[in-house]
Amino acid sequence: DVSQLVLCGNVSISAQTVHLLCEAGIPIVHLSRGNWFYGITHGITLRNAFDRAAQFRAAADPSRTLAFARAIVAAKGANQRTLLLRNASPRPDTELARMATLLRKLDAPGDAGALLGIEGAIAAHYFSVFNRCLRPRDFDPAWDFRSRNRRPPRDPVNALLSFGYAMLAKECTVALLAEGLDPWWGFYHQPRHGRPALALDLAEEFRPLVVDSAVLTAVNTGMVAAGDFFTSAAGCVLRDTGRKAFIRAYEARLDQLVTHPLFDYRCSWRAVIRLQA
């Protein structure tokens, strides 16, 4: 029943536990106390080196990487727009129209730089009205979300988003490793030391579907409150109570059943991520 073990902060496990999990093919994910994704301990999972060889050939083909990147940006932007349509009140018609216009531009030929610009513009419109989806029960001014900020996040909503995106990145890394692919060699995100580029590629379209949705659930149902955060000049961090509450909301979202758009059968979002990998 265990798919992975996630260690947040300075948590120790025995060598026997590590051996047992490696033997069972269950990864151990390491997050820092501040929720940075540090790495994974896993057994010998690579069974077919030809998969990775094919991955590297595809990554070296500009036409394939551009088509892959365009599909990612289109899916992510469409999912962000759908989340606003379903949750924002009052409905941000101006921003929705501008996002639709930007999404249509993806049909035209362009390079990776143009895609980054379109993705950034869509995200700017999206986060400019994201606060219309928030209906916290404690009405604390700390929930006044204005824009996306990170490294470090400076307010509770951004702290939840950053934590959620780190959790999603490790979820995608685990899914890619299970398929024998290299999570560090991406198509859209450029490979960089210490960055799981392909996992970030995979995570992009699931950010609004999984993380942003979990944040709205956690805030709007009162699972997390303003008192679950500590804010200082160094940024805003989750206290233990808030982190545990948000993990419950995040895991509940991953376990929620949906109809797969391609295969037309019911499965969890966690399974959808693995199918996408």
Side-chain angles (χ1 to χ4, degrees), residues 41-113:
T41 301
H42 59 86
I44 301 173
T45 57
L46 182 60
R47 296 290 184 265
N48 187 352
F50 294 103
D51 288 340
R52 293 200 176 188
Q55 176 187 349
F56 299 144
R57 284 197 302 271
D61 184 342
S63 63
R64 293 186 68 179
T65 56
L66 185 60
F68 184 89
R70 184 178 288 113
I72 288 174
V73 174
K76 178 185 177 183
N79 291 338
Q80 288 175 323
R81 191 172 181 275
T82 298
L83 186 140
L84 292 178
L85 278 167
R86 292 178 178 175
N87 296 279
S89 180
R91 199 170 82 164
D93 291 322
T94 300
E95 286 73 15
L96 290 170
R98 290 173 178 170
M99 291 171 74
T101 299
L102 289 166
L103 286 169
R104 285 193 292 271
K105 290 183 178 181
L106 294 172
D107 296 330
D111 56 17

Side-chain angles (χ1 to χ4, degrees), residues 36-269:
W36 288 97
F37 176 37
Y38 278 164
I40 292 179
T41 301
H42 59 86
I44 301 173
T45 57
L46 182 60
R47 296 290 184 265
N48 187 352
F50 294 103
D51 288 340
R52 293 200 176 188
Q55 176 187 349
F56 299 144
R57 284 197 302 271
D61 184 342
S63 63
R64 293 186 68 179
T65 56
L66 185 60
F68 184 89
R70 184 178 288 113
I72 288 174
V73 174
K76 178 185 177 183
N79 291 338
Q80 288 175 323
R81 191 172 181 275
T82 298
L83 186 140
L84 292 178
L85 278 167
R86 292 178 178 175
N87 296 279
S89 180
R91 199 170 82 164
D93 291 322
T94 300
E95 286 73 15
L96 290 170
R98 290 173 178 170
M99 291 171 74
T101 299
L102 289 166
L103 286 169
R104 285 193 292 271
K105 290 183 178 181
L106 294 172
D107 296 330
D111 56 17
L115 285 178
L116 283 170
I118 293 174
E119 180 190 17
I122 292 174
H125 290 307
Y126 173 70
F127 284 115
S128 72
V129 291
F130 188 73
N131 60 343
R132 299 193 189 186
C133 302
L134 298 168
R135 288 173 283 278
R137 297 192 174 186
D138 52 3
F139 299 104
D140 195 286
W143 296 116
D144 187 20
F145 177 86
R146 296 292 180 177
S147 62
R148 180 79 177 108
N149 57 70
R150 57 199 181 103
R151 297 182 184 177
R154 297 190 291 273
D155 58 81
V157 175
N158 274 295
L160 289 173
L161 290 171
S162 292
F163 182 32
Y165 293 155
M167 297 281 283
L168 181 61
K170 64 88 180 168
E171 194 76 34
C172 292
T173 301
V174 169
L176 291 166
L177 286 171
E179 295 303 320
L181 297 173
D182 187 341
W184 285 269
W185 200 266
F187 289 1
Y188 182 41
H189 291 82
Q190 294 303 302
R192 193 173 71 195
H193 182 72
R195 179 169 73 170
L198 189 63
L200 296 177
D201 287 349
L202 178 59
E204 286 294 343
E205 61 188 320
F206 291 104
R207 288 180 182 235
L209 294 172
V210 175
V211 177
D212 299 1
S213 179
V215 169
L216 295 183
T217 298
V219 174
N220 294 349
T221 62
M223 292 179 70
V224 294
D228 290 322
F229 300 84
F230 175 75
T231 304
S232 67
C236 181
V237 296
L238 277 158
R239 301 183 191 272
D240 287 346
T241 54
R243 183 168 58 253
K244 291 176 182 178
F246 181 69
I247 288 174
R248 286 197 300 271
Y250 172 82
E251 290 291 329
R253 180 61 175 171
L254 280 178
D255 290 336
Q256 184 174 340
L257 296 178
V258 293
T259 300
H260 195 281
L262 181 62
F263 303 119
D264 199 30
Y265 58 73
R266 301 279 286 174
C267 57
S268 68
W269 280 115

